[in-house]
Amino acid sequence: LPGIQIRNDGTITINGQPVDQIYVDGEPFFSGQPSMALEHLPAEIVKKIQVYATSTNNNSMPGPPPPPGFPGNKTLNIVLKADKRKGNFGKIVAGAGTGDAYTANGDLNHMNGGQQISVVADAGNVDKEKTGTDPVQPNNGIRRVMNGGVNYRDSRNANLKFNGSYLANNSRTELESRTRTLNIFPGDSSTYLNQSTRGLNEMRSHLFNGKIDFNPNSKTTFTIIPMVNLQNSDNTTTQQSTQHYANSGAQIYQSSGTSSSSSDNSMISSNFQLNHAGKKVGEMLMANLNIRNVANKRSALNESVTEYTTYNKNIHQLTDNKSGNFNVGTNVMYTKPLGEKYNFAAQGSYGFNKDNNLYNTYKFNDASGHYDQLDSTQSNHFISNYHSATAQASIRGQAGKLNITLGAGLQGDWLTADNKTEHTQFSRSFINLLPQAMVSMSPKNGKMLMVGYNGRPMTVSTQQLQPVTVTSDSLFIQEGNPDLKQPYTHTLNMSFNAVKPGSMQLLTISMGASITEHSIAQSTTLLSNGGQLSKPVNLEGAQSANITLNYSTSALKGKLTFNMIGSAAYSKSPVLSNGIRNDSRTFTTNSDLTCTYNNQKGWDVSLSVGPGYNIMTTSSGVTTKYFQTGITGKSIYSWKDLESGVSWYYNFNSSLPSDYQPDFPILSPVIRYRFLKNKALQASVTCVDLLNQQSGASRSVSAADISDSWTRTRGRYLLFSLMYNFKHFK
């Protein structure tokens, strides 16, 4: 489909905008994660695809979601064919290979009209094929996963519908990485930090999602959406690091240490929604109540030795962190038509958020042999209550081909906080306007132009406001700032869509710009021991602008498809470095040129090239410029029951050190053969990363630092697998 792209890693974009949810017949498939639907639903049951804007339901962003044409995350809804809604289908996969590689997964789907049951299971330590056909760029780290779940949907009763899922996951990741980071400071104070890390992470989770729709009559719908998420993890890490001044090369310190931690996290929430339609078309009452409780526990043991020129510093400490968050949010919206050309909307919302954070650090006691000496400088108990309320109204009217929306409102936020450790209290309050304006024009021939403006405050987190110092060691220290002002962002968006009737040509242009008053930036101070003290502060001057163009077309009666995306973005980010303002200005250009060819008789070929150029300059005189491009694709040829092909991935970054940059692409050749009745059984042999490149390198750039990283991946292995497909539709 023009404008829709599925990457080798399973991510989906529509006209350059990311898809973060996939629904099936208007209901979530499991939790709505795109990968679940891509891996477990066959294409032959799909009738059509629908796309709309993802709703945020965020009290900090009052008002309805933006129109589908505006930039932002999208939800994709898969509508099933009527003759594929009764029957059973699924698959079973098993495979093993060199280097102890193995995989086993499958799914079973039963459909009976409005009733659907799906059971899925997965176990293995190989890099997943997200789209079912394309071996992908290896994940960072070497990972083993075991998971399983069930999804049930029943909409046969017109008055009562149910959708629920349960998903259990167990993963184990071995991590080996190295990073080289330039910490930007004025003058000769900039430093290089080189780190090498080895670690092991084990994570277990249980996720339950539900949705109940009750329709007592044709005008009223009451919905309950419960969710339970339980997660615990264990981590062990060994790290070595060296820091020196960038200009002189003089070493500041070298450090080595180990850490281990365990955490337990739980989240329980319920969302209650009421939609009631009035007597007139367009008259609607919508109410929403969300209740959520989060509890987190984390215990970490850190032991390290830091060597300086004249002395050494040893750290042996145990941190115990317990935090709880209780949130209640409610929102009510009422819409009413005013004549034939106007519509009135009024909305009010209220949110309450309570945080309870207990952070204790214990030193090692040589006398007792235990960690039982409380370090009061790194311990604190902090409680806060955050309230937010909004009231706004808007009028939408039609004037010829124009649709105009004008609205305004008020938002009030107030915070009360109690520092139990220091026996101090403080409170803050903010009041802001909520202006809104949008104009859309829909001339003939499938064209639409939309221009919109809004002004909104940004939520200031409790962690940013609390006057507490938090650190896991003496080298990276974070402080809160109770004197912060609330940031306020002015945003202007424009979107143009054009679809040529009777063809597969699509053109989309979207532009956006924003300016933030009282933006929250980081003030970083380089300490005498090479450590860093970071604190949030308000700085003026944050701004950004971007433009994205997407063009799609097809040829050869749909066999050949072209999709071209080009984007450019500019941002200005203020920071403080050693008390001196050090703004960064970043300009990036990115593009993606994709060509696919499928003649339905043998060839299935795709090629994607994504060149881009990045420039960042800072007030302190640091400049970085680099070119990067990713090349991905596949070429598969089918002859009768035999299929062979190769997929490839290569990412080039001109700025990466030579020992970070892969020499050759990741090549993954494959041979498949189908046999038995209806070609139900498929045998395949795949060589993943034929040239053993283990590519996991990347660069990140910000106003405060420039960081290059490399992570070891599984590398080359040979995998033999069998896949059995079964289907029976009534």
Side-chain angles (χ1 to χ4, degrees):
L1 294 175
I4 297 183
Q5 290 185 284
I6 302 180
R7 303 292 183 195
N8 280 5
D9 62 1
T11 58
I12 309 174
T13 59
I14 296 179
N15 299 337
Q17 304 300 317
V19 172
D20 62 346
Q21 291 185 138
I22 288 187
Y23 282 15
V24 176
D25 283 339
E27 299 293 340
F29 185 72
F30 284 88
S31 58
Q33 300 173 8
S35 61
M36 294 299 293
L38 286 177
E39 294 176 16
H40 299 291
L41 294 179
E44 63 183 277
I45 70 174
V46 179
K47 177 183 179 181
K48 61 181 179 180
I49 298 295
Q50 297 173 330
V51 178
Y52 47 91
T54 298
S55 178
T56 59
N57 283 329
N58 190 338
N59 287 332
S60 64
M61 298 286 287
F70 267 31
N73 290 351
K74 299 294 183 288
T75 294
L76 188 149
N77 182 41
I78 299 174
V79 181
L80 304 182
K81 296 178 180 177
D83 60 348
K84 303 296 184 182
R85 294 184 177 179
K86 286 191 176 184
N88 303 304
F89 63 90
K91 66 177 182 293
I92 299 174
V93 180
T98 60
D100 297 325
Y102 70 94
T103 183
N105 63 80
D107 58 73
L108 171 64
N109 302 273
H110 170 75
M111 304 187 70
N112 183 21
Q115 183 189 49
Q116 176 185 335
I117 302 175
S118 297
V119 179
V120 301
D122 181 24
N125 59 3
V126 301
D127 300 309
K128 291 295 297 294
E129 298 180 356
K130 293 294 185 182
T131 63
T133 57
D134 304 334
V136 302
Q137 178 194 12
N139 296 318
N140 286 339
I142 300 175
R143 192 170 183 232
R144 186 271 299 155
V145 299
M146 297 179 63
N147 57 60
V150 58
N151 188 87
Y152 177 74
R153 180 185 61 167
D154 197 332
S155 58
R156 294 172 296 177
N157 189 318
N159 299 111
L160 184 64
K161 301 177 182 179
F162 174 79
N163 182 21
S165 67
Y166 166 74
L167 188 64
N169 180 69
N170 183 301
S171 67
R172 182 181 187 273
T173 303
E174 298 177 33
L175 184 67
E176 180 183 345
S177 65
R178 60 178 184 265
T179 60
R180 177 180 170 87
T181 302
L182 172 65
N183 298 298
I184 303 172
F185 292 98
D188 296 330
S189 299
S190 293
T191 65
Y192 271 113
L193 178 63
N194 295 290
Q195 291 181 313
S196 61
T197 304
R198 289 177 178 267
L200 177 65
N201 170 263
E202 295 187 79
M203 190 272 290
R204 299 156 292 274
S205 66
H206 301 270
L207 176 63
F208 169 78
N209 285 278
K211 184 181 180 184
I212 302 172
D213 290 314
F214 175 60
N215 303 93
N217 53 62
S218 60
K219 294 182 177 295
T220 305
T221 301
F222 182 66
T223 303
I224 303 176
I225 305 176
M227 176 184 291
V228 177
N229 190 357
L230 306 176
Q231 186 178 100
N232 64 78
S233 63
D234 298 293
N235 294 272
T236 57
T237 302
T238 301
Q239 183 173 278
Q240 294 181 330
S241 59
T242 303
Q243 189 178 46
H244 60 271
Y245 287 106
N247 288 341
S248 67
Q251 180 173 299
I252 303 173
Y253 69 78
Q254 63 180 15
S255 178
S256 62
T258 61
S259 64
S260 60
S261 66
S262 61
S263 63
D264 288 282
N265 309 304
S266 65
M267 191 273 286
I268 301 175
S269 70
S270 291
N271 187 272
F272 304 88
Q273 300 174 1
L274 173 66
N275 293 330
H276 177 73
K279 296 180 180 180
K280 296 182 179 180
V281 176
E283 185 178 9
M284 179 73 70
L285 174 66
M286 293 167 283
N288 178 75
L289 172 65
N290 188 71
I291 303 173
R292 183 183 63 183
N293 187 76
V294 178
N296 300 312
K297 296 180 180 180
R298 183 177 185 272
S299 179
L301 178 64
N302 296 284
E303 297 181 343
S304 66
V305 178
T306 304
E307 301 177 9
Y308 296 93
T309 304
T310 58
Y311 70 98
N312 294 344
K313 183 176 180 61
N314 297 330
I315 293 179
H316 301 279
Q317 65 183 29
L318 175 69
T319 58
D320 187 13
N321 185 22
K322 298 179 181 180
S323 63
N325 175 274
F326 178 73
N327 176 272
V328 177
T330 182
N331 184 76
V332 179
M333 176 181 284
Y334 175 72
T335 63
K336 180 179 178 63
L338 303 176
E340 296 181 357
K341 295 186 178 182
Y342 297 93
N343 188 74
F344 171 77
Q347 181 179 8
S349 66
Y350 169 75
F352 169 74
N353 192 82
K354 181 173 183 176
D355 276 306
N356 188 344
N357 291 284
L358 178 62
Y359 192 94
N360 287 330
T361 299
Y362 299 91
K363 298 179 181 180
F364 185 76
N365 188 339
D366 292 326
S368 66
H370 299 287
Y371 291 89
D372 54 14
Q373 288 185 331
L374 182 67
D375 185 352
S376 59
T377 63
Q378 299 187 45
S379 302
N380 199 78
H381 186 192
F382 191 82
I383 299 175
S384 67
N385 297 311
Y386 200 110
H387 306 260
S388 179
T390 66
Q392 52 189 335
S394 64
I395 294 180
R396 185 179 64 199
Q398 184 175 353
K401 297 180 180 179
L402 295 177
N403 286 297
I404 303 174
T405 301
L406 297 174
L410 285 174
Q411 177 170 331
D413 299 81
W414 60 99
L415 168 75
T416 60
D418 185 4
N419 191 335
K420 295 291 186 180
T421 302
E422 300 293 336
H423 305 291
T424 59
Q425 296 83 32
F426 74 92
S427 63
R428 300 295 310 277
S429 61
F430 313 97
I431 297 180
N432 292 281
L433 292 173
L434 300 173
Q436 177 189 9
M438 187 178 70
V439 178
S440 63
M441 180 174 61
S442 302
K444 296 180 180 179
N445 300 324
K447 299 178 181 178
M448 175 177 285
L449 174 66
M450 291 183 288
V451 180
Y453 161 80
N454 65 69
R456 300 185 187 279
M458 300 174 64
T459 300
V460 186
S461 70
T462 303
Q463 288 72 23
Q464 292 172 320
L465 287 169
Q466 62 184 10
V468 176
T469 298
V470 176
T471 178
S472 60
D473 54 43
S474 61
L475 299 177
F476 298 95
I477 305 170
Q478 292 182 324
E479 287 186 351
N481 183 359
D483 297 324
L484 286 176
K485 298 178 181 178
Q486 188 172 35
Y488 190 92
T489 300
H490 303 270
T491 303
L492 179 66
N493 285 313
M494 189 279 285
S495 177
F496 174 76
N497 299 314
V499 180
K500 188 175 181 180
S503 74
M504 298 286 280
Q505 292 187 13
L506 171 68
L507 173 65
T508 300
I509 302 174
S510 61
M511 293 185 292
S514 68
I515 297 176
T516 301
E517 303 177 54
H518 311 311
S519 67
I520 295 179
Q522 289 298 315
S523 173
T524 304
T525 302
L526 181 64
L527 305 178
S528 58
N529 65 350
Q532 295 182 22
L533 173 63
S534 181
K535 180 179 180 179
V537 294
N538 288 118
L539 293 178
E540 302 297 337
Q543 53 190 248
S544 65
N546 62 82
I547 180 172
T548 300
L549 184 147
N550 184 92
Y551 176 72
S552 301
T553 188
S554 63
L556 302 179
K557 298 181 179 180
K559 298 177 183 178
L560 185 64
T561 302
F562 297 94
N563 196 81
M564 291 161 277
I565 300 176
S567 65
Y570 165 81
S571 65
K572 177 184 176 183
S573 303
V575 298
L576 286 181
S577 300
N578 285 348
I580 300 175
R581 181 152 174 162
N582 185 26
D583 295 356
S584 73
R585 291 170 173 83
T586 304
F587 178 75
T588 62
T589 60
N590 290 288
S591 60
D592 191 298
L593 312 175
T594 302
C595 174
T596 61
Y597 175 76
N598 191 322
N599 63 6
Q600 303 294 324
K601 295 182 179 180
W603 283 106
D604 183 5
V605 181
S606 68
L607 175 65
S608 179
V609 181
Y613 192 70
N614 299 263
I615 303 175
M616 187 197 74
T617 60
T618 69
S619 302
S620 62
V622 175
T623 300
T624 178
K625 302 178 181 179
Y626 60 96
F627 170 81
Q628 64 179 7
T629 185
I631 303 175
T632 62
K634 68 175 181 179
S635 177
I636 296 177
Y637 180 75
S638 302
W639 181 72
K640 295 184 178 180
D641 299 328
L642 183 67
E643 181 178 275
S644 64
V646 62
S647 67
W648 57 86
Y649 174 88
Y650 185 71
N651 187 38
F652 173 78
N653 188 314
S654 63
S655 65
L656 287 175
S658 58
D659 57 341
Y660 283 46
Q661 183 70 55
D663 297 321
F664 303 102
I666 293 178
L667 298 176
S668 299
V670 61
I671 298 176
R672 303 185 182 100
Y673 182 72
R674 299 182 179 92
F675 48 96
L676 296 187
K677 183 180 180 181
N678 298 322
K679 316 304 178 187
L681 185 63
Q682 174 183 279
S684 64
V685 179
T686 307
C687 184
V688 178
D689 194 5
L690 176 65
L691 304 178
N692 199 30
Q693 293 301 289
Q694 301 187 22
S695 177
S698 63
R699 161 166 282 207
S700 63
V701 176
S702 71
D705 57 60
I706 301 171
S707 181
D708 296 323
S709 64
W710 178 91
T711 303
R712 181 178 300 279
T713 59
R714 180 170 292 278
R716 178 174 54 219
Y717 60 91
L718 191 68
L719 183 70
F720 173 78
S721 62
L722 292 172
M723 179 171 65
Y724 178 72
N725 286 279
F726 57 92
K727 57 185 176 180
H728 175 68
F729 295 103
K730 300 178 181 179

